[in-house]
Amino acid sequence: MGRPSRLGDEDRSDYGRALDEVIASPEIRLLLERSGIPGGRLRVRGLAAVERTTSAADAEYRRYAALRRRARGGRQDAGVSPLSGPGDQERPGAGVLAVLGVLTPVLAAVAAATFLLLGYGLRFAEALPALAGTLVGVGWFSLVVAAVTALVSVVALYRTAAKQSADGTASVPDRSPAVEDAREVWLAALRDRGIRPFLLQELAEAAATASGPGEDSSSRFSSPAFAGPDFSGPDFSGPGFEGSGFRGSGRPAPDGSEPSR
């Protein structure tokens, strides 16, 4: 089969709903109650393992994606968007034109305000009348450029938004019965062969991990070597403690001889 198909964005919502349906099933709910694991944590694990679980229903997904692509006239699925964003931004120079469309009105307006202030300031001070007239003329010209470029940018933005809205509406037609049937077959295979076995394995591993530390911690503080009735303390009557000023416990030695005094 090769490498499993990667889910599109619109299919990830279907995957999330299928995951919620499996978690809400009586079998999984019962295991969650027994193990004490939160359902939200199990859902996060299921979302993180999307590539692993969807590979079990890859054949059904390929069929569903092919029928959906054929119903849309061979166009790319709407959920798989280009890396550069929506629209025609992949064309060379489209990004530069968009930047210029935004910056040109702003820079022209700033230049117009600067030239007009300087020009009318010189006129008010009655200094350098030739330079003042030139600055006023350049300022008004920059203001006209700012107004025209702002109008062009607004019109271009409106047309782009209208085109993308029309494309988005046309790219999600009503699903045909064949596409709907293929989708239901894929979701059923995804739940039964992909998501449910994965969740059962996660719950089994979590239960095994939770039972291990409990046994260790209980045995750590109830060792028979230290909690038995025959334990009375450390033995200082060995050969290394003879003559050191310590006295034995007073109990007979295991061989029946008297302890040293």
Side-chain angles (χ1 to χ4, degrees):
M1 291 293 295
R3 186 176 182 179
S5 302
R6 184 176 181 180
L7 290 185
D9 293 340
E10 62 180 321
D11 297 325
R12 291 183 179 273
S13 59
D14 288 338
Y15 178 85
R17 284 191 291 268
L19 177 62
D20 292 336
E21 291 176 3
V22 177
I23 294 178
S25 63
E27 179 185 13
I28 300 299
R29 298 305 303 177
L30 180 60
L31 293 177
L32 284 174
E33 293 176 0
R34 291 179 178 177
S35 61
I37 300 174
R41 185 184 303 175
L42 189 64
R43 188 178 192 275
V44 171
R45 295 287 297 173
L47 292 175
V50 59
E51 294 185 0
R52 174 180 172 183
T53 54
T54 53
S55 62
D58 187 62
E60 289 79 3
Y61 179 71
R62 288 178 184 269
R63 181 176 179 273
Y64 165 53
L67 289 175
R68 182 176 57 187
R69 186 166 50 251
R70 192 180 310 162
R72 292 174 177 174
R75 293 189 300 269
Q76 187 182 16
D77 289 347
V80 184
S81 57
L83 294 178
S84 58
D88 298 330
Q89 297 181 10
E90 289 186 344
R91 294 181 302 174
V96 177
L97 292 178
V99 172
L100 290 178
V102 174
L103 291 181
T104 301
V106 176
L107 295 178
V110 172
T114 304
F115 290 141
L116 289 175
L117 287 175
L118 291 176
Y120 283 110
L122 290 176
R123 281 187 178 182
F124 181 77
E126 297 180 353
L128 302 174
L131 179 60
T134 303
L135 291 176
V136 170
V138 173
W140 281 110
F141 176 77
S142 300
L143 188 60
V144 172
V145 171
V148 172
T149 53
L151 181 61
V152 172
S153 299
V154 170
V155 173
L157 181 62
Y158 176 78
R159 291 186 60 185
T160 302
K163 181 180 178 182
Q164 290 181 0
S165 177
D167 291 344
T169 304
S171 62
V172 187
D174 294 335
R175 290 191 178 101
S176 63
V179 176
E180 277 295 330
D181 293 341
R183 175 174 172 270
E184 292 300 327
V185 171
W186 167 59
L187 290 176
L190 179 64
R191 289 190 295 263
D192 297 337
R193 299 203 307 263
I195 297 177
R196 180 172 284 107
F198 173 78
L199 296 184
L200 292 176
Q201 180 181 358
E202 288 293 316
L203 290 172
E205 293 178 357
T209 305
S211 62
E215 295 175 357
D216 294 341
S217 59
S218 61
S219 61
R220 184 183 306 170
F221 298 102
S222 61
S223 175
F226 297 95
D230 296 335
F231 178 74
S232 60
D235 186 11
F236 297 103
S237 60
F241 290 89
E242 293 180 358
S244 59
F246 291 98
R247 294 188 177 182
S249 60
R251 295 185 178 181
D255 55 357
S257 60
E258 289 292 330
S260 59
R261 298 290 182 179

